[in-house]
Amino acid sequence: MAFSSVRSSTLLGVQGKAVDVEIHVGMGLPGFTIVGQPDEACRESRDRVRAALLSCDLPWPNRRITVNLATSVHERKGGAGLDVAIAIGLLIVQDILPNEIAERYAFIAELGLDGTLRPVAGVVPLVAAIDDRIVVVANECEREARIAARDEVVCAQTLAHLVKCLTGEAAWIPAPTRTSIIIAPPIVDMKDVRGQSAARQALEIAAAGAHHLLFVGPPGAGKSMLAQRISGILPVLTDEEAVATTIVHSAAQVSLPQTGIITLPPFRAPHHSTSLVAMVGGGTSTMRPGEISLATNGVLFLDELGEFAPSVLDALRQPLEEGVVRVARAKSSVQLPAKFLLVAATNPCPCGEGTPGLCVCDDRAKQKYLRRFSGPLLDRFDLRVAVTRPHVDELLAANPSESSRDIALRVATARDLAMSRNGCVNSALSADALDKFAPLTREAASLLRHHVERGRLSGRGYHRIRRVARTVSDLRDQSEYVEEVHVAVALALRVGVQPQFSGDRVAQS
């Protein structure tokens, strides 16, 4: 026959799009044309496929070949993962393979010039886009591919081996034996932190309720050290979260763990010189996920927050509220996941000291520094904690601090309580749901009213304080009502950007 249609898929953002690779071989001068908005990697398939067929002693039709990349949406198709589908389609039109093969199998792999099947980036979302066929991938992609397609995945080593497997002359490469892998505890532990009781309390609250957290303090106070230890107290990902996170990392070509699936919350800490595109995503025809998407279901840590470009910081405002980021370009637009916990650290001023008598910054330098932080962005931090340098007695104390393992147990208990009561973490409670799941006592309501009337809290800040107080209650006594002491702790952990550093003792009141 002169026509065939073979299923494959391409990547756009973090989503795979099924593609029908239509091949027509007819009369005319010998040539090879790809239509259907291919990118440069797709157009180069001609040379890779031709060399692979000839290297495997398979025929190449010396006629007019037209390849059409047909999808339900008119978007640019990218990547080299269509190579094998094109090769199989050419073999079908030459009657080397039966047409039934195209109805049973889909193919996602790049071809080497020697006919080897090579892995492609983003194989998890690519395989997930195909749900009605057995998917053929390169052997190196088998572990990742099974995350999306479970057992509907087979592997071959070369194009010649693939043809023999499809005709029943050879067996597929057997799946490797699954061995249990013990997940090692985090290298960094909260027991290494000396003092900093308020900051430790804020980390625990942030982890339990998924509240965004900002550390404000001078250099050497331990802000980065504290933030890096939040991963060790966060609960492991649910099955749904693990698959979603793995898809994002696979699409972004980030190496996956030995198990093939990410089970621990990711921790991303981009440098302050990171560009807007690198943070938000896009930048290529495949709309590559940015740092905020890679931090999905995990932590995005911005150290030296004041050194980030203001445009980069303001780009975080919409994803923080909605949990997604919408990237639009001239030829395509995608919606990328961006459900992350934001933890940031900053100095109170350019010199870093902030306190009177030690700070050497003039008023102009301070104002210029503070203009980098927009009010709406700062308002999105549920917790803003002053961090001071620990006292010498705390540094030299013989007794170690509480370990991450013990804190993680309390965090997991509070998370489970919130999920069973609210159906979501406390930071995701809507304004209407607060009255149902976080009712205030009369004293607590009076305290909040006092702060709102004096302009110390915006409308958004009022609701965020209530959410934090609900988490404090879950961690302390798990009472039905949010009491005055819970609101007081939430208020104490929401200082200004330039605090008078008395953080540890204030937060305990």
Side-chain angles (χ1 to χ4, degrees):
M1 63 181 301
F3 175 83
S4 67
S5 179
V6 182
R7 182 65 56 84
S8 186
S9 63
T10 60
L11 187 65
L12 184 65
V14 297
Q15 293 185 338
K17 303 288 185 180
V19 176
D20 288 324
V21 181
E22 300 176 342
I23 297 178
H24 179 269
V25 176
M27 300 294 292
L29 293 175
F32 187 100
T33 304
I34 299 182
V35 297
Q37 301 186 34
D39 69 354
E40 189 62 29
C42 287
R43 288 192 291 268
E44 292 172 349
S45 295
R46 173 192 60 186
D47 300 319
R48 290 193 299 269
V49 172
R50 184 177 185 278
L53 286 171
L54 298 179
S55 297
C56 295
D57 295 326
L58 295 168
W60 171 266
N62 194 25
R63 301 171 69 186
R64 184 66 182 175
I65 303 171
T66 304
V67 178
N68 179 40
L69 308 180
T71 61
S72 58
V73 291
H74 298 286
E75 293 175 336
R76 196 170 184 84
K77 290 84 177 179
L82 304 175
D83 286 1
V84 175
I86 294 174
I88 295 299
L90 289 173
L91 294 176
I92 291 176
V93 298
Q94 298 178 90
D95 295 328
I96 305 299
L97 291 174
N99 190 47
E100 290 75 15
I101 294 297
E103 299 174 358
R104 294 184 55 197
Y105 294 91
F107 305 88
I108 303 173
E110 180 182 352
L111 279 175
L113 300 184
D114 59 350
T116 303
L117 269 66
R118 294 180 175 175
V120 295
V123 71
V124 178
L126 289 175
V127 172
I130 301 173
D131 57 3
D132 59 346
R133 287 170 171 81
I134 300 173
V135 184
V136 178
V137 297
N139 190 37
E140 294 85 349
C141 293
E142 183 271 342
R143 182 185 61 192
E144 296 179 35
R146 291 190 186 278
I147 296 173
R150 299 184 180 180
D151 295 329
E152 295 300 312
V153 173
V154 291
C155 307
Q157 193 68 40
T158 65
L159 183 58
H161 177 229
L162 173 59
V163 172
K164 291 181 180 180
C165 292
L166 293 173
T167 58
E169 300 177 19
W172 299 102
I173 297 177
T177 303
R178 303 295 175 185
T179 57
S180 59
I181 299 177
I182 299 176
I183 300 176
I187 299 176
V188 293
D189 198 292
M190 287 290 290
K191 67 181 180 182
D192 301 328
V193 179
R194 302 289 179 161
Q196 308 293 5
S197 56
R200 291 170 61 94
Q201 182 185 24
L203 275 178
E204 183 175 343
I205 294 172
H211 301 288
H212 305 307
L213 169 63
L214 173 64
F215 287 131
V216 184
K223 304 185 296 295
S224 301
M225 181 182 184
L226 285 159
Q228 291 166 356
R229 280 154 176 75
I230 192 171
S231 296
I233 63 176
L234 286 171
V236 297
L237 302 179
T238 63
D239 292 342
E240 182 180 355
E241 291 172 339
V243 172
T245 305
T246 302
I247 287 176
V248 175
H249 282 239
S250 177
Q253 305 178 35
V254 177
S255 60
L256 298 178
Q258 186 179 357
T259 55
I261 187 169
I262 298 174
T263 57
L264 298 178
F267 183 88
R268 304 292 300 184
H271 191 259
H272 59 74
S273 63
T274 298
S275 67
L276 177 62
V277 171
M279 183 69 76
V280 174
T284 66
S285 60
T286 58
M287 305 291 274
R288 186 181 185 274
E291 288 292 335
I292 60 177
S293 294
L294 290 170
T296 295
N297 297 318
V299 178
L300 178 67
F301 175 47
L302 302 183
D303 200 4
E304 302 297 341
L305 186 69
E307 301 301 325
F308 282 82
S311 59
V312 174
L313 296 181
D314 286 337
L316 300 174
R317 287 157 54 180
Q318 177 263 330
L320 286 174
E321 289 293 324
E322 300 185 19
V324 297
V325 55
R326 299 175 183 87
V327 182
R329 297 294 182 263
K331 295 184 178 180
S332 60
S333 61
V334 296
Q335 179 172 293
L336 303 173
K339 184 182 177 183
F340 58 91
L341 171 61
L342 178 61
V343 179
T346 185
N347 298 326
C349 63
C351 77
E353 293 297 338
T355 54
L358 296 177
C359 180
V360 297
C361 302
D362 57 25
D363 292 340
R364 183 176 180 180
K366 292 180 180 179
Q367 291 175 1
K368 182 179 179 181
Y369 188 78
L370 291 177
R371 277 198 297 267
R372 290 177 172 267
F373 311 109
S374 67
L377 175 64
L378 292 176
D379 210 26
R380 282 167 170 80
F381 284 102
D382 299 345
L383 303 165
R384 301 199 295 258
V385 183
V387 182
T388 60
R389 296 187 181 99
H391 192 271
V392 62
D393 293 336
E394 296 173 329
L395 287 175
L396 302 180
N399 297 327
S401 302
E402 190 176 21
S403 68
S404 294
R405 185 184 297 273
D406 296 334
I407 300 174
L409 291 176
R410 292 199 299 271
V411 169
T413 301
R415 276 275 185 112
D416 292 341
L417 175 62
M419 293 299 295
S420 61
R421 179 188 61 233
N422 317 331
C424 63
V425 293
N426 289 331
S427 64
L429 283 171
S430 64
D432 294 337
L434 284 172
D435 293 331
K436 179 179 180 181
F437 299 115
L440 298 171
T441 62
R442 180 178 301 177
E443 295 79 7
S446 176
L447 179 59
L448 269 178
R449 181 182 181 87
H450 174 79
H451 280 75
V452 173
E453 288 178 343
R454 281 156 181 76
R456 299 173 184 172
L457 287 176
S458 65
R460 181 188 291 117
Y462 167 79
H463 292 113
R464 290 186 180 276
I465 288 294
R466 290 190 62 178
R467 296 182 185 110
V468 172
R470 175 73 275 179
T471 302
V472 174
S473 174
D474 291 343
L475 286 168
R476 284 194 170 189
D477 44 36
Q478 302 180 5
S479 61
E480 179 182 356
Y481 286 87
V482 175
E483 302 176 3
E484 183 180 13
V485 64
H486 305 144
V487 174
V489 171
L491 290 169
L493 294 174
R494 192 180 172 87
V495 300
V497 177
Q498 275 193 302
Q500 299 300 319
F501 294 111
S502 56
D504 285 285
R505 283 160 288 281
V506 172
Q508 296 303 313
S509 62

